[in-house]
Amino acid sequence: MVTHISTTPFGRRPMTVAQMASQAGAKAIDRTTAVPKWQAFRDITEARDAIGATDRSLAILNALLSFHRDDELSGEGGLVVFPSNEQLIRRANGMSSATLRRHLSVLVTCGLVIRRDSPNGKRFARKGEGGEIEQAYGFDLAPIVARADEFKQLAAAVQAERKAYRLVKERLTICRRDIVKMIDAGLNEEVPGDWRRFQTRYEAAVGRLPRTASRQLLEAVADELENIWAEVHQLLETFVKSQDLNANESHSERHIQNSNPDSHSTDETEPGLGLQKEASSSAERDDNVRSLPKRDLPLGMVLDACPEILNMARGAQIRTWRDFVAAAELARPHMGVSPSAWQEAVQVMGPEKAAITIAAMLQRTDQINSQGGYLRNLTDRARNGQFSVWPMVMALLRARLDAKASQNAGKSLGKETARRDELTGSSKSAEISEALRLSMKRKGWD
């Protein structure tokens, strides 16, 4: 005689339709089906959020599976385990009885196990004459066999989602790092571009990210950041290519200049013609301005080349570039340079280089017919990248050094002549001595 298998829980526990569905699925499994129990447990652990299981309930499920002696769960063998609460507590790392009962209920609700309660609610097994179990009351593990494929698919989906989330996080992190550093490079290197607009767009995109964001939101923000990255990268790449092209052109120009033994030096090597060539509109347009030093001129060097500007400074002292620019602004009206010409030079060259240009013009005022027209000419050339203040200052320095050398040579020659006259006696001193002798003879003093 076979005892009726219970389908409802013992005591005051209610019966639900979901539990009936779980029992129906377990009853329909093929008896030849065999599932590795620990692989099934790993799939359930991986997909626990989708299934609705908790960490504590999985610890209890692990304990229940350990009471099944075989490594596989098969429809042919018995799938009901019947450990007592004390045995489960020991294998579940000593959790309390109340916690155990609560999480056993979670396993039943999730459809991972089925209660097969005895009439009095105890868990036990009744064996037959041959020692085989005829009837067992406890927890039926058949739902794990029936839903093994489902658990495997859920675990694969969770792993794929986790991988996609990790990849989009990496993508987002790299985009954020690249954009921030490329914008900083563009600002620090003064690359032409609307960097503030890029920074505003970046901050707006990143501002949409909450502390915990879904993969879909991360992908949307990452797509937006990649668009910003592409624009910034293209702008920097274009600038780098243009710099490489300019460098190649400069190298070619230097090679052509140096390879011509009959070529005459430009305004950088001819002090006497430096300012005229800078002002001449017929100056060669292929002057290699890019080969000049990129650093700014030292203030001391400029003052050595243009000492006349000191007369325009308050107290005849210039200690800073601000004092230098102020002195140039005071010198401008005396040179006949209009305010508009000065402002245009400041906008194109910058205040310091415009002031250097004024000081150089003041130093050689006698060589320039129209100071205002000359300044406008240099401003136009600076706008086209064909003018630098370096040649002007260096030409003035060389001119001053040459003049000082000539003056020193003249003084040395004068001293040498005087010394020679002192040693040998000059013709003039001899004539005076002879006249004095004749006078003394006429007066009878001789």
Side-chain angles (χ1 to χ4, degrees), residues 356-378:
I356 294 173
T357 306
I358 289 291
M361 292 165 53
L362 180 64
Q363 193 65 28
R364 290 188 174 178
T365 306
D366 55 340
Q367 300 180 17
I368 303 173
N369 296 327
S370 175
Q371 302 275 7
Y374 179 78
L375 181 61
R376 290 186 183 276
N377 190 350
L378 294 185

Side-chain angles (χ1 to χ4, degrees), residues 278-279 349 357 374-382 387 392:
E278 288 288 350
M349 304 181 192
T357 306
Y374 179 78
L375 181 61
R376 290 186 183 276
N377 190 350
L378 294 185
T379 302
D380 291 339
R381 295 185 61 191
F387 169 71
M392 297 180 70

Side-chain angles (χ1 to χ4, degrees), residues 43 148-158:
D43 292 339
D149 291 339
E150 177 189 348
F151 296 149
K152 187 174 183 180
Q153 293 176 3
L154 286 175
V158 169

Side-chain angles (χ1 to χ4, degrees), residues 75-328:
E76 293 182 351
L79 295 176
V80 177
V81 291
F82 39 87
S84 64
N85 284 353
E86 289 75 13
Q87 291 174 322
L88 279 176
I89 288 173
R90 284 196 296 269
R91 294 199 185 185
N93 302 322
M95 67 175 59
S96 65
S97 299
T99 304
L100 176 68
R101 289 192 296 270
R102 184 168 65 254
H103 289 287
L104 280 172
S105 178
V106 171
L107 290 178
V108 175
T109 304
C110 293
L112 294 176
V113 296
I114 300 174
R115 286 183 179 275
R116 302 295 187 185
D117 289 344
S118 65
N120 60 1
K122 302 294 184 180
R123 303 180 199 124
F124 63 92
R126 182 180 295 109
K127 297 181 179 179
E129 294 180 359
E132 295 182 357
I133 297 176
E134 293 182 346
Q135 181 69 40
Y137 295 100
F139 295 100
D140 192 350
L141 303 178
I144 297 178
V145 179
R147 301 175 61 186
D149 291 339
E150 177 189 348
F151 296 149
K152 187 174 183 180
Q153 293 176 3
L154 286 175
V158 169
Q159 291 174 354
E161 179 67 19
R162 184 182 296 115
K163 181 179 179 180
Y165 190 86
R166 184 176 66 252
L167 292 177
V168 73
K169 287 280 288 185
E170 293 176 358
R171 174 182 161 204
L172 187 66
T173 301
I174 293 174
C175 279
R176 293 180 65 173
R177 182 186 67 198
D178 287 353
I179 292 173
V180 169
K181 292 191 175 183
M182 287 193 299
I183 290 177
D184 287 342
L187 289 172
N188 295 335
E189 301 292 337
E190 297 182 354
V191 178
D194 194 354
W195 299 108
R196 298 302 177 191
R197 182 176 63 86
F198 287 129
Q199 193 168 9
T200 302
R201 290 175 56 190
Y202 167 77
E203 292 174 354
V206 174
R208 294 167 49 197
L209 292 174
R211 183 178 297 273
T212 303
S214 63
R215 179 180 59 84
Q216 291 75 14
L217 179 58
L218 292 178
E219 288 183 347
V221 174
D223 292 339
E224 186 174 352
L225 290 179
E226 281 190 345
N227 292 334
I228 300 175
W229 178 91
E231 295 180 23
V232 174
H233 187 270
Q234 183 179 6
L235 183 59
L236 290 177
E237 194 175 45
T238 302
F239 177 76
V240 170
K241 289 181 180 179
S242 66
Q243 292 295 101
D244 292 342
L245 181 61
N246 292 337
N248 293 335
E249 291 176 355
S250 299
H251 177 76
S252 301
E253 290 170 359
R254 288 195 296 271
H255 178 73
I256 294 172
Q257 270 190 332
N258 297 334
S259 63
N260 186 1
D262 299 329
S263 63
H264 298 286
S265 59
T266 62
D267 56 345
E268 299 177 30
T269 57
E270 295 184 2
L273 300 178
L275 290 177
Q276 286 84 348
K277 288 194 175 183
E278 288 288 350
S280 174
S281 60
S282 60
E284 295 183 3
R285 299 298 179 183
D286 59 349
D287 291 342
N288 191 4
V289 178
R290 299 187 188 92
S291 65
L292 296 173
K294 300 300 182 184
R295 63 184 184 277
D296 294 333
L297 280 164
L299 179 58
M301 181 187 294
V302 177
L303 293 177
D304 289 340
C306 312
E308 291 295 330
I309 195 67
L310 290 170
N311 298 327
M312 297 294 176
R314 293 182 176 87
Q317 290 184 348
I318 296 178
R319 294 187 176 89
T320 63
W321 280 109
R322 180 178 298 178
D323 298 339
F324 186 81
V325 174

Side-chain angles (χ1 to χ4, degrees), residues 423-444:
L423 294 174
T424 60
S426 65
S427 58
K428 186 175 182 180
S429 62
E431 291 175 359
I432 294 174
S433 299
E434 183 65 22
L436 181 59
R437 186 183 62 79
L438 292 176
S439 176
M440 290 174 64
K441 186 176 180 181
R442 284 196 301 270
K443 292 182 179 182

Side-chain angles (χ1 to χ4, degrees), residues 399-409:
R400 293 202 66 199
L401 291 175
D402 291 345
K404 189 174 183 179
S406 299
Q407 184 179 3
N408 292 337

